[in-house]
Amino acid sequence: MPSAAERVPWRWLAAARASRRLVLVVVFVALLLDNMLLTVVVPIVPTFLYATEYEGTLDQNETAPPALKAPPFSSMFSHSDNTTVTVLVSISAVELVNGTESSIPPEPTVSIPPSPSSCPDGEEFLAKENTRVGLLFASKALVQLMVNPAVGLLTNRIGYHIPMFIGFVTMFLSTVMFAFSGTYTLLLIARALQGIGSSFSSVAGLGMLASVYTDDFERGNAMGIALGGLALGVLIGAPFGSVMYEFVGKSSPFLVLAFLALLDGALQLCTLQPSKISPESTKGTPVLTLLRDPYILIAAGALCFSNMGVAMLEPTLPIWMMQTMCSPKWQLGMAFLPASVSYLIGTNLFGILANKIGRWLCSLIGMAVVGISLLCVPLAKTIYGLIAPNSGLGFAIGMVDSSMMPIMGYLVDLRHTSIYGNVYAIADVAFCMGFAIGPSTGGAIARAIGFPWLMVIIGVINIAYAPLCWYLRNPPAKEEKIAILSQECPMQTKSYTVQKTLHDFPLTDDSDVEAEHVE
């Protein structure tokens, strides 16, 4: 018989596995690490590729072969402006070997002093880098886009615990690969591998939350807190990456994230049961059936287009800042700090407020503000001019995300079977489409017509899409779903159609009449 002291850890472990709050903590940490890795590369990759490929090529071209002597230098005095100019006399290799010099005087090459501007050279290289960096950033979302439907089906068959742990393992491998990758190809593979891990973590995590928080109001609050982890990762990632890369080195931020990922894996082992197969007792609604639901498509479109704006900024804004503002490395990540802080505020604030003022209204206003903020970004002349539009952008995307994630679960409860793996796979697909189409097309569009016109295009798209959120104001329930709910759990239908005030206050004669009308 084990002693009481030995039984305490097992009791704590059993209590932890039954706690909804610890499930929320696990999902929060997983989304935090995923989005830190998502954004930590934003300021690192453009400058790293510029340093290794463009400047590295220049260094190789400027290095003379060891077999040749260094060509002689001479000085010329200019009587017109009283300055001395260094002249490089060019002598061919054959003449150096023969020890002779040509009788024809070579053309002098005048070395021009460097420009005092801190802007990087290589305008053509930076323009081409828009497309390459955009493709690298988009690769994660493209892979995630392809893997998400399979993960949704997998969660319906084996539950959420095993896919969640697979996501941790894949994310850890991706982080370590980022730390030691020195070429564009290896960085591309690491980014794609991150897409696989992110798909398992996000679909399984959001589905697990929706399954343990069955009440619509509690689910909205839990989703807001979980999306706060996403926001915090976005908040910390870019500034953390730029500062660590500037002052410590490229590998340092990724090694820190790898260590945090190990802690997340230990937390999952303690609170979840990664070896336990727990299929859903009820068969979930097929993905194709959910995709034919116009209300789910409207919600997914809002997630896609609102996040596409910031996805287009990720590869193009740092390069635009290097070209127009001559920004140092640390500012490239700090430019995203206002958007991240306001996103963190928006998700936590509207996780609660959206249920009271209407999630459809929050999404409509949020998409309009996203469009206006994007239109204002090219007006900035310094990094301080980016504070206001980026803050508005982050706050508005927080409004949309914290409203649409609970709506997806609500629509499934109202119109389909209450199994959430597939619907959150669709939500994640919409999110990934924004982050796949945004960087890949954004880099090419910025190269073709310029960064300001890119912001005009995506800003107008968000403003034009915003009115569609009105259709989510009062989505109808399917007839068979109403019949099932009225027979099996009549009180549950009230939580979807009657306002919360009926639960918070004693019923009056007027409220009885309202309840009869609803039923």
Side-chain angles (χ1 to χ4, degrees):
M1 290 286 295
S3 63
E6 293 175 349
R7 288 197 300 266
V8 168
W10 296 107
R11 288 177 181 174
W12 179 88
L13 191 60
R17 288 176 173 173
S19 172
R20 296 191 304 175
R21 291 186 178 181
L22 277 177
V23 171
L24 180 57
V25 170
V26 168
V27 177
F28 179 93
V29 174
L31 292 177
L32 169 70
L33 292 175
D34 179 24
N35 287 276
M36 277 191 73
L37 185 58
L38 175 73
T39 55
V40 78
V41 300
V42 170
I44 294 176
V45 168
T47 50
F48 177 73
L49 292 177
Y50 179 82
T52 56
E53 296 185 1
Y54 181 75
E55 293 180 348
T57 304
L58 287 182
D59 292 340
Q60 290 177 1
N61 292 338
E62 291 174 358
T63 303
L68 303 180
K69 296 179 182 178
F73 289 87
S74 63
S75 298
M76 293 175 56
F77 183 77
S78 173
H79 294 279
S80 60
D81 54 0
N82 296 330
T83 58
T84 302
V85 181
T86 302
V87 178
L88 171 64
V89 182
S90 176
I91 302 175
S92 68
V94 175
E95 292 163 345
L96 282 173
V97 172
N98 296 334
T100 62
E101 295 183 5
S102 173
S103 59
I104 302 174
E107 295 183 1
T109 303
V110 179
S111 64
I112 302 173
S115 171
S117 172
S118 61
C119 287
D121 299 325
E123 289 285 333
E124 185 178 353
F125 178 83
L126 288 173
K128 291 180 180 178
E129 195 180 12
N130 265 313
T131 306
R132 297 176 71 229
V133 173
L135 288 174
L136 190 145
F137 286 170
S139 62
K140 181 252 185 190
L142 287 170
V143 171
Q144 196 170 347
L145 195 65
M146 294 184 288
V147 175
N148 272 339
V151 176
L153 294 173
L154 187 66
T155 57
N156 290 342
R157 295 192 176 187
I158 66 173
Y160 302 109
H161 296 180
I162 295 177
M164 193 78 182
F165 195 75
I166 292 174
F168 146 70
V169 173
T170 312
M171 199 75 65
F172 176 76
L173 294 176
S174 171
T175 307
V176 173
M177 191 171 180
F178 264 119
F180 299 105
S181 295
T183 64
Y184 179 83
T185 304
L186 290 176
L187 289 171
L188 188 67
I189 295 172
R191 185 72 166 179
L193 190 62
Q194 184 197 353
I196 298 174
S198 181
S199 179
F200 278 91
S201 295
S202 55
V203 173
L206 293 174
M208 192 187 308
L209 276 186
S211 65
V212 298
Y213 288 92
T214 54
D215 179 74
D216 186 52
F217 181 73
E218 290 183 347
R219 181 185 297 160
N221 294 344
M223 291 289 180
I225 294 171
L227 290 174
L230 185 151
L232 192 60
V234 174
L235 165 66
I236 300 172
F240 172 72
S242 61
V243 172
M244 292 288 283
Y245 178 48
E246 174 81 26
F247 300 108
V248 183
K250 168 187 164 284
S251 299
S252 57
F254 300 108
L255 294 176
V256 172
L257 287 181
F259 176 73
L260 294 177
L262 285 177
L263 295 181
D264 177 51
L267 184 63
Q268 288 191 32
L269 285 173
C270 292
T271 56
L272 304 180
Q273 294 174 293
S275 60
K276 179 183 177 183
I277 296 178
S278 53
E280 298 287 355
S281 57
T282 308
K283 186 178 180 181
T285 307
V287 173
L288 292 178
T289 304
L290 295 176
L291 287 174
R292 287 195 293 266
D293 190 324
Y295 298 96
I296 289 178
L297 287 180
I298 290 173
L303 285 171
C304 176
F305 288 117
S306 61
N307 285 281
M308 192 182 292
V310 74
M312 284 186 171
L313 280 179
E314 284 186 354
T316 55
L317 181 61
I319 295 173
W320 182 70
M321 290 173 65
M322 291 168 68
Q323 291 174 322
T324 60
M325 301 180 188
C326 308
S327 301
K329 293 176 185 176
W330 67 270
Q331 284 189 3
L332 303 182
M334 287 296 177
F336 292 92
L337 186 62
S340 304
V341 172
S342 57
Y343 183 86
L344 181 64
I345 296 171
T347 50
N348 284 278
L349 185 62
F350 285 93
I352 300 171
L353 286 181
N355 193 56
K356 296 182 178 180
I357 66 177
R359 291 183 179 129
W360 68 274
L361 183 60
C362 289
S363 302
L364 191 152
I365 296 173
M367 292 202 70
V369 175
V370 166
I372 295 170
S373 300
L374 289 169
L375 293 175
C376 296
V377 168
L379 303 178
K381 302 302 179 184
T382 65
I383 188 174
Y384 303 106
L386 292 171
I387 293 175
N390 280 2
S391 297
L393 178 66
F395 191 79
I397 295 175
M399 292 175 67
V400 177
D401 286 358
S402 60
S403 301
M404 283 302 166
M405 285 300 184
I407 279 182
M408 297 294 262
Y410 170 75
L411 289 172
V412 167
D413 284 336
L414 192 64
R415 299 171 57 80
H416 304 280
T417 308
S418 298
I419 304 298
Y420 307 101
N422 286 340
V423 76
Y424 283 111
I426 292 174
D428 209 39
V429 162
F431 188 82
C432 293
M433 282 186 68
F435 276 88
I437 298 172
S440 56
T441 60
I445 293 172
R447 181 183 178 186
I449 61 176
F451 176 78
W453 280 107
L454 171 67
M455 293 295 99
V456 170
I457 291 171
I458 188 61
V460 169
I461 288 175
N462 273 273
I463 294 172
Y465 191 91
L468 291 178
C469 296
W470 183 84
Y471 289 101
L472 298 173
R473 181 173 58 91
N474 190 20
K478 294 262 179 105
E479 293 181 3
E480 61 270 21
K481 187 71 177 179
I482 294 175
I484 292 171
L485 289 173
S486 60
Q487 291 175 8
E488 296 182 358
C489 44
M491 288 302 294
Q492 201 169 358
T493 58
K494 290 187 177 182
S495 66
Y496 296 122
T497 55
V498 182
Q499 295 182 352
K500 286 303 262 191
T501 51
L502 295 180
H503 297 283
D504 296 338
F505 302 100
L507 290 174
T508 62
D509 295 335
D510 294 336
S511 61
D512 288 335
V513 174
E514 290 177 10
E516 290 175 4
H517 283 301
V518 172
E519 293 176 354

